[in-house]
Amino acid sequence: MTDRLTAQFAFLNVADGLKSVDRANVLMDGSRAENSAEHSWHLALWALVLGHGLPELDRALAMLVLHDLPEVYCGDHPIHLIDNPDKVAQAEAAAADRIFGHAPPDLAAPLRALWYEFEAGTTPAARLAKRLDHAQPLMQVLMSPCPPADHLDVVRDNLATGRAARFRQEWPEFYTHAVDLLAGGPGTAGPDLRARLAFLAEADRLKSVTRATTLVDGSRCETSGEHSWHLALYALVLADQAAPAVDIARVMRMLILHDLVEIDVGDVPIHSADGKAHGSTQTQAAEAAAADRLFGLLPVATGTHLRALWEEFEAAESPDAVFAKSLDRVQPVMANLMSGGGTWITYQVTATQLESRVGVKVARGAPALWPWVRAQAAPFFGT
């Protein structure tokens, strides 16, 4: 078990590098480039919002969490700059073999297979995932209040003759809406699609919520969007640590959603002086109000469903939510381990505090995991 956990966390720590891969797209507020981890999180949210009720949703969700991982080694390839698609495909396949090779062999094989399935784009789940991957960058530009002119040109070419041109037949409501937005119009989508896209545009703001936890290389603090993506990947990779009753697909859904309220409330580091306020009546009221506003942007049935998942995570009573909470506590520990102490140093955390604030939650949902993690952390606390 020890060797397996070492390999699992080695893979998860290498995957952290996706947070440092910049894409050609920018955040909707125009402040900076979007990175591939944030893009992967946003796509997973797109799947939850636009694939609600589809039988292929869970598999598509897993694909979207994984789909850009080879970019850790080969970087992003903007569609408008690809001159030799075969060469790019070969580079990405080699990078996929390399990054999935960090995982235990019995885990690497199914993860790699999911990535190849996405690339092939022939199964229902892969087609859904590809459709969203090709649609999100369009709305990232078209729904921005300040889209760069050259990005609008890329969207125009994409809709006319690029990979989005197929939406004319495949997803006509989305296609005509995008074309009208590009022309400066208000869009042509009906109320349902318009509401879903408005929610997804608002969710882009989670990419600008900064957490106290750093990247594993310590270079900067991570964002809540990146954190949510990484936790979904944690769920896939550490599924063997869950109780038999746990549904990993539902855990992933919760983790994709769990920090959305931080768009309004912000992040409260668990080890900070304000960390004690996590369970306070005031904090709970602020988060509930944020949930009301954000999930209220969606059509009623979808908003109610996603709000219920968020509430289940917050309550931490179901097996799925208990395991999700465990992962939410473990991921910052690994970032601190890899970055030389991280927030433990910043907030002068003691071994007793680590045990009470983190260990109890981890052990509740993943009892075999905490002893291993605690042993890795022990040298930082002189124990």
Short mmCIF file of all heavy atoms in Angstrom, two decimals, residues 263-312:
data_model
loop_
_atom_site.label_atom_id
_atom_site.label_comp_id
_atom_site.label_asym_id
_atom_site.label_seq_id
_atom_site.Cartn_x
_atom_site.Cartn_y
_atom_site.Cartn_z
N ILE A 263 -16.77 32.62 -5.15
CA ILE A 263 -16.88 33.75 -6.07
C ILE A 263 -17.40 34.97 -5.31
O ILE A 263 -16.95 36.11 -5.53
CB ILE A 263 -17.81 33.40 -7.25
CG1 ILE A 263 -17.14 32.38 -8.17
CG2 ILE A 263 -18.22 34.65 -8.02
CD1 ILE A 263 -18.06 31.82 -9.23
N ASP A 264 -18.34 34.76 -4.39
CA ASP A 264 -18.90 35.85 -3.59
C ASP A 264 -18.24 35.99 -2.23
O ASP A 264 -18.08 37.12 -1.73
CB ASP A 264 -20.40 35.62 -3.38
CG ASP A 264 -21.22 35.80 -4.64
OD1 ASP A 264 -20.65 36.17 -5.69
OD2 ASP A 264 -22.43 35.55 -4.60
N VAL A 265 -17.86 34.86 -1.63
CA VAL A 265 -17.42 34.86 -0.23
C VAL A 265 -15.91 34.92 -0.10
O VAL A 265 -15.38 35.42 0.90
CB VAL A 265 -17.99 33.62 0.50
CG1 VAL A 265 -17.53 33.57 1.95
CG2 VAL A 265 -19.51 33.61 0.43
N GLY A 266 -15.19 34.41 -1.10
CA GLY A 266 -13.74 34.32 -1.02
C GLY A 266 -13.31 33.07 -0.27
O GLY A 266 -14.12 32.34 0.29
N ASP A 267 -12.00 32.82 -0.27
CA ASP A 267 -11.44 31.66 0.41
C ASP A 267 -11.05 32.04 1.84
O ASP A 267 -10.54 33.13 2.07
CB ASP A 267 -10.20 31.16 -0.35
CG ASP A 267 -9.52 30.00 0.36
OD1 ASP A 267 -10.20 28.99 0.60
OD2 ASP A 267 -8.33 30.13 0.68
N VAL A 268 -11.30 31.13 2.77
CA VAL A 268 -10.87 31.33 4.16
C VAL A 268 -9.91 30.19 4.50
O VAL A 268 -10.33 29.06 4.72
CB VAL A 268 -12.06 31.32 5.14
CG1 VAL A 268 -11.57 31.53 6.57
CG2 VAL A 268 -13.08 32.38 4.76
N PRO A 269 -8.60 30.45 4.51
CA PRO A 269 -7.63 29.39 4.79
C PRO A 269 -7.90 28.73 6.14
O PRO A 269 -8.11 29.41 7.14
CB PRO A 269 -6.28 30.12 4.79
CG PRO A 269 -6.53 31.35 3.97
CD PRO A 269 -7.95 31.73 4.24
N ILE A 270 -7.89 27.42 6.16
CA ILE A 270 -8.25 26.69 7.37
C ILE A 270 -7.30 26.95 8.53
O ILE A 270 -7.68 26.89 9.70
CB ILE A 270 -8.34 25.18 7.06
CG1 ILE A 270 -8.97 24.44 8.24
CG2 ILE A 270 -6.98 24.61 6.71
CD1 ILE A 270 -9.29 22.99 7.95
N HIS A 271 -6.02 27.26 8.22
CA HIS A 271 -5.05 27.48 9.28
C HIS A 271 -4.90 28.96 9.66
O HIS A 271 -4.11 29.29 10.54
CB HIS A 271 -3.68 26.94 8.86
CG HIS A 271 -3.65 25.45 8.70
ND1 HIS A 271 -4.02 24.59 9.71
CD2 HIS A 271 -3.29 24.67 7.65
CE1 HIS A 271 -3.88 23.33 9.29
NE2 HIS A 271 -3.46 23.37 8.04
N SER A 272 -5.66 29.85 9.01
CA SER A 272 -5.55 31.27 9.32
C SER A 272 -6.34 31.60 10.57
O SER A 272 -7.13 30.79 11.07
CB SER A 272 -6.09 32.11 8.15
OG SER A 272 -7.49 31.97 8.04
N ALA A 273 -6.17 32.82 11.06
CA ALA A 273 -6.93 33.26 12.23
C ALA A 273 -8.42 33.24 11.95
O ALA A 273 -9.24 33.00 12.84
CB ALA A 273 -6.49 34.66 12.64
N ASP A 274 -8.79 33.47 10.69
CA ASP A 274 -10.20 33.46 10.31
C ASP A 274 -10.70 32.05 10.02
O ASP A 274 -11.89 31.85 9.79
CB ASP A 274 -10.43 34.32 9.06
CG ASP A 274 -10.18 35.80 9.33
OD1 ASP A 274 -10.36 36.21 10.48
OD2 ASP A 274 -9.80 36.51 8.38
N GLY A 275 -9.79 31.08 9.99
CA GLY A 275 -10.19 29.72 9.66
C GLY A 275 -11.23 29.16 10.59
O GLY A 275 -12.05 28.32 10.22
N LYS A 276 -11.21 29.64 11.84
CA LYS A 276 -12.19 29.18 12.81
C LYS A 276 -13.61 29.56 12.40
O LYS A 276 -14.57 29.00 12.91
CB LYS A 276 -11.87 29.78 14.18
CG LYS A 276 -10.56 29.33 14.77
CD LYS A 276 -10.37 29.96 16.14
CE LYS A 276 -9.22 30.92 16.13
NZ LYS A 276 -9.00 31.57 17.40
N ALA A 277 -13.71 30.54 11.50
CA ALA A 277 -15.04 31.00 11.10
C ALA A 277 -15.72 30.09 10.09
O ALA A 277 -16.85 30.33 9.70
CB ALA A 277 -14.94 32.41 10.51
N HIS A 278 -14.99 29.04 9.64
CA HIS A 278 -15.55 28.16 8.61
C HIS A 278 -16.93 27.66 8.97
O HIS A 278 -17.81 27.59 8.12
CB HIS A 278 -14.61 26.96 8.39
CG HIS A 278 -13.64 27.18 7.28
ND1 HIS A 278 -14.01 27.23 5.98
CD2 HIS A 278 -12.29 27.34 7.30
CE1 HIS A 278 -12.93 27.43 5.21
NE2 HIS A 278 -11.88 27.51 6.00
N GLY A 279 -17.13 27.27 10.22
CA GLY A 279 -18.42 26.71 10.60
C GLY A 279 -19.32 27.69 11.29
O GLY A 279 -20.36 27.30 11.83
N SER A 280 -18.97 28.97 11.30
CA SER A 280 -19.77 29.96 12.01
C SER A 280 -21.09 30.22 11.30
O SER A 280 -21.23 30.01 10.09
CB SER A 280 -19.01 31.27 12.15
OG SER A 280 -18.92 31.92 10.90
N THR A 281 -22.03 30.70 12.07
CA THR A 281 -23.34 31.04 11.51
C THR A 281 -23.21 32.11 10.43
O THR A 281 -23.87 32.05 9.39
CB THR A 281 -24.28 31.53 12.63
OG1 THR A 281 -24.41 30.50 13.61
CG2 THR A 281 -25.65 31.87 12.07
N GLN A 282 -22.32 33.07 10.67
CA GLN A 282 -22.14 34.16 9.70
C GLN A 282 -21.59 33.64 8.38
O GLN A 282 -22.07 34.01 7.30
CB GLN A 282 -21.19 35.20 10.29
CG GLN A 282 -20.97 36.41 9.38
CD GLN A 282 -20.04 37.43 10.01
OE1 GLN A 282 -19.52 37.23 11.11
NE2 GLN A 282 -19.82 38.53 9.31
N THR A 283 -20.58 32.77 8.46
CA THR A 283 -20.00 32.21 7.23
C THR A 283 -21.01 31.34 6.51
O THR A 283 -21.14 31.41 5.27
CB THR A 283 -18.74 31.39 7.57
OG1 THR A 283 -17.79 32.24 8.19
CG2 THR A 283 -18.14 30.79 6.31
N GLN A 284 -21.71 30.52 7.23
CA GLN A 284 -22.71 29.65 6.61
C GLN A 284 -23.79 30.46 5.91
O GLN A 284 -24.24 30.11 4.81
CB GLN A 284 -23.33 28.73 7.66
CG GLN A 284 -22.38 27.65 8.15
CD GLN A 284 -22.99 26.79 9.24
OE1 GLN A 284 -24.02 27.12 9.81
NE2 GLN A 284 -22.35 25.68 9.54
N ALA A 285 -24.20 31.57 6.54
CA ALA A 285 -25.22 32.42 5.93
C ALA A 285 -24.71 33.07 4.65
O ALA A 285 -25.42 33.16 3.64
CB ALA A 285 -25.67 33.48 6.93
N ALA A 286 -23.44 33.52 4.67
CA ALA A 286 -22.85 34.14 3.48
C ALA A 286 -22.74 33.14 2.34
O ALA A 286 -23.03 33.45 1.18
CB ALA A 286 -21.48 34.72 3.82
N GLU A 287 -22.32 31.92 2.66
CA GLU A 287 -22.18 30.89 1.63
C GLU A 287 -23.55 30.47 1.09
O GLU A 287 -23.70 30.22 -0.12
CB GLU A 287 -21.43 29.70 2.19
CG GLU A 287 -19.96 30.01 2.47
CD GLU A 287 -19.20 28.82 3.03
OE1 GLU A 287 -19.84 27.85 3.49
OE2 GLU A 287 -17.95 28.87 3.00
N ALA A 288 -24.55 30.39 1.96
CA ALA A 288 -25.90 30.03 1.50
C ALA A 288 -26.45 31.11 0.56
O ALA A 288 -27.10 30.80 -0.46
CB ALA A 288 -26.83 29.84 2.69
N ALA A 289 -26.18 32.37 0.90
CA ALA A 289 -26.63 33.47 0.03
C ALA A 289 -25.93 33.41 -1.32
O ALA A 289 -26.55 33.65 -2.37
CB ALA A 289 -26.36 34.81 0.71
N ALA A 290 -24.63 33.08 -1.30
CA ALA A 290 -23.89 32.94 -2.56
C ALA A 290 -24.45 31.78 -3.38
O ALA A 290 -24.60 31.88 -4.61
CB ALA A 290 -22.41 32.71 -2.27
N ALA A 291 -24.77 30.67 -2.71
CA ALA A 291 -25.35 29.53 -3.41
C ALA A 291 -26.70 29.89 -4.01
O ALA A 291 -27.03 29.50 -5.14
CB ALA A 291 -25.49 28.34 -2.45
N ASP A 292 -27.50 30.66 -3.26
CA ASP A 292 -28.79 31.11 -3.79
C ASP A 292 -28.60 31.89 -5.08
O ASP A 292 -29.32 31.67 -6.07
CB ASP A 292 -29.50 32.01 -2.76
CG ASP A 292 -30.04 31.25 -1.57
OD1 ASP A 292 -30.18 30.01 -1.66
OD2 ASP A 292 -30.32 31.90 -0.54
N ARG A 293 -27.66 32.82 -5.06
CA ARG A 293 -27.44 33.67 -6.24
C ARG A 293 -26.92 32.88 -7.41
O ARG A 293 -27.45 32.96 -8.53
CB ARG A 293 -26.47 34.80 -5.91
CG ARG A 293 -26.28 35.78 -7.07
CD ARG A 293 -25.24 36.84 -6.77
NE ARG A 293 -23.87 36.36 -6.91
CZ ARG A 293 -23.23 36.25 -8.09
NH1 ARG A 293 -23.85 36.55 -9.23
NH2 ARG A 293 -21.98 35.83 -8.14
N LEU A 294 -25.87 32.07 -7.17
CA LEU A 294 -25.19 31.39 -8.27
C LEU A 294 -26.05 30.28 -8.88
O LEU A 294 -26.28 30.26 -10.10
CB LEU A 294 -23.86 30.83 -7.79
CG LEU A 294 -22.81 31.90 -7.47
CD1 LEU A 294 -21.69 31.33 -6.61
CD2 LEU A 294 -22.25 32.49 -8.75
N PHE A 295 -26.54 29.38 -8.06
CA PHE A 295 -27.35 28.28 -8.60
C PHE A 295 -28.70 28.79 -9.09
O PHE A 295 -29.35 28.16 -9.93
CB PHE A 295 -27.52 27.18 -7.55
CG PHE A 295 -26.22 26.48 -7.22
CD1 PHE A 295 -25.68 26.56 -5.95
CD2 PHE A 295 -25.53 25.76 -8.19
CE1 PHE A 295 -24.48 25.93 -5.64
CE2 PHE A 295 -24.33 25.13 -7.89
CZ PHE A 295 -23.80 25.22 -6.61
N GLY A 296 -29.11 29.97 -8.57
CA GLY A 296 -30.35 30.58 -9.05
C GLY A 296 -30.26 31.12 -10.46
O GLY A 296 -31.29 31.46 -11.06
N LEU A 297 -29.05 31.22 -11.01
CA LEU A 297 -28.89 31.66 -12.39
C LEU A 297 -29.33 30.58 -13.38
O LEU A 297 -29.60 30.87 -14.54
CB LEU A 297 -27.43 32.02 -12.67
CG LEU A 297 -26.85 33.21 -11.89
CD1 LEU A 297 -25.34 33.32 -12.14
CD2 LEU A 297 -27.55 34.50 -12.29
N LEU A 298 -29.35 29.33 -12.93
CA LEU A 298 -29.63 28.19 -13.80
C LEU A 298 -31.13 27.93 -13.92
O LEU A 298 -31.92 28.36 -13.07
CB LEU A 298 -28.96 26.94 -13.23
CG LEU A 298 -27.44 26.88 -13.35
CD1 LEU A 298 -26.86 25.84 -12.40
CD2 LEU A 298 -27.05 26.55 -14.79
N PRO A 299 -31.54 27.20 -14.96
CA PRO A 299 -32.92 26.70 -15.00
C PRO A 299 -33.21 25.93 -13.71
O PRO A 299 -32.32 25.28 -13.14
CB PRO A 299 -32.92 25.77 -16.22
CG PRO A 299 -31.85 26.32 -17.10
CD PRO A 299 -30.78 26.81 -16.17
N VAL A 300 -34.43 25.98 -13.24
CA VAL A 300 -34.78 25.51 -11.90
C VAL A 300 -34.34 24.07 -11.64
O VAL A 300 -33.71 23.78 -10.61
CB VAL A 300 -36.29 25.67 -11.65
CG1 VAL A 300 -36.67 25.04 -10.31
CG2 VAL A 300 -36.68 27.14 -11.65
N ALA A 301 -34.64 23.16 -12.53
CA ALA A 301 -34.34 21.74 -12.28
C ALA A 301 -32.84 21.51 -12.13
O ALA A 301 -32.38 20.82 -11.20
CB ALA A 301 -34.90 20.87 -13.39
N THR A 302 -32.04 22.10 -13.02
CA THR A 302 -30.58 21.93 -12.96
C THR A 302 -30.01 22.65 -11.74
O THR A 302 -29.15 22.11 -11.03
CB THR A 302 -29.92 22.46 -14.24
OG1 THR A 302 -30.46 21.76 -15.36
CG2 THR A 302 -28.41 22.24 -14.20
N GLY A 303 -30.47 23.86 -11.48
CA GLY A 303 -29.99 24.60 -10.33
C GLY A 303 -30.29 23.89 -9.03
O GLY A 303 -29.45 23.84 -8.12
N THR A 304 -31.48 23.33 -8.92
CA THR A 304 -31.85 22.60 -7.71
C THR A 304 -30.99 21.36 -7.52
O THR A 304 -30.54 21.06 -6.41
CB THR A 304 -33.34 22.20 -7.78
OG1 THR A 304 -34.14 23.38 -7.90
CG2 THR A 304 -33.76 21.43 -6.53
N HIS A 305 -30.73 20.66 -8.61
CA HIS A 305 -29.91 19.44 -8.54
C HIS A 305 -28.48 19.77 -8.11
O HIS A 305 -27.92 19.11 -7.21
CB HIS A 305 -29.91 18.76 -9.91
CG HIS A 305 -28.95 17.63 -10.03
ND1 HIS A 305 -29.13 16.41 -9.41
CD2 HIS A 305 -27.76 17.53 -10.69
CE1 HIS A 305 -28.11 15.61 -9.68
NE2 HIS A 305 -27.26 16.27 -10.44
N LEU A 306 -27.88 20.77 -8.71
CA LEU A 306 -26.50 21.11 -8.39
C LEU A 306 -26.40 21.73 -6.99
O LEU A 306 -25.44 21.46 -6.25
CB LEU A 306 -25.92 22.05 -9.44
CG LEU A 306 -25.83 21.47 -10.86
CD1 LEU A 306 -25.16 22.47 -11.80
CD2 LEU A 306 -25.09 20.15 -10.88
N ARG A 307 -27.38 22.52 -6.62
CA ARG A 307 -27.40 23.09 -5.26
C ARG A 307 -27.47 21.96 -4.22
O ARG A 307 -26.80 22.03 -3.18
CB ARG A 307 -28.59 24.03 -5.12
CG ARG A 307 -28.90 24.52 -3.69
CD ARG A 307 -27.83 25.48 -3.20
NE ARG A 307 -28.09 25.91 -1.83
CZ ARG A 307 -28.73 27.04 -1.50
NH1 ARG A 307 -29.22 27.83 -2.44
NH2 ARG A 307 -28.87 27.37 -0.24
N ALA A 308 -28.23 20.93 -4.50
CA ALA A 308 -28.34 19.80 -3.56
C ALA A 308 -27.01 19.08 -3.40
O ALA A 308 -26.65 18.65 -2.30
CB ALA A 308 -29.43 18.84 -4.02
N LEU A 309 -26.26 18.95 -4.50
CA LEU A 309 -24.93 18.34 -4.41
C LEU A 309 -24.00 19.19 -3.55
O LEU A 309 -23.23 18.66 -2.73
CB LEU A 309 -24.34 18.17 -5.81
CG LEU A 309 -24.73 16.93 -6.59
CD1 LEU A 309 -24.16 17.03 -8.01
CD2 LEU A 309 -24.24 15.66 -5.92
N TRP A 310 -24.05 20.50 -3.74
CA TRP A 310 -23.22 21.41 -2.94
C TRP A 310 -23.59 21.30 -1.46
O TRP A 310 -22.72 21.22 -0.59
CB TRP A 310 -23.39 22.85 -3.43
CG TRP A 310 -22.65 23.84 -2.59
CD1 TRP A 310 -21.31 24.14 -2.65
CD2 TRP A 310 -23.19 24.66 -1.54
NE1 TRP A 310 -20.99 25.09 -1.71
CE2 TRP A 310 -22.13 25.42 -1.01
CE3 TRP A 310 -24.48 24.82 -1.02
CZ2 TRP A 310 -22.31 26.33 0.02
CZ3 TRP A 310 -24.66 25.72 0.03
CH2 TRP A 310 -23.58 26.47 0.53
N GLU A 311 -24.88 21.28 -1.16
CA GLU A 311 -25.33 21.17 0.22
C GLU A 311 -24.92 19.84 0.84
O GLU A 311 -24.55 19.77 2.02
CB GLU A 311 -26.84 21.35 0.30
CG GLU A 311 -27.30 22.77 0.02
CD GLU A 311 -28.81 22.92 0.07
OE1 GLU A 311 -29.51 21.90 0.02
OE2 GLU A 311 -29.28 24.08 0.16
N GLU A 312 -24.97 18.77 0.05
CA GLU A 312 -24.54 17.46 0.53
C GLU A 312 -23.06 17.47 0.90
O GLU A 312 -22.66 16.93 1.94
CB GLU A 312 -24.82 16.40 -0.53
CG GLU A 312 -24.47 14.98 -0.10
CD GLU A 312 -24.76 13.95 -1.18
OE1 GLU A 312 -25.51 14.26 -2.13
OE2 GLU A 312 -24.23 12.82 -1.08
#
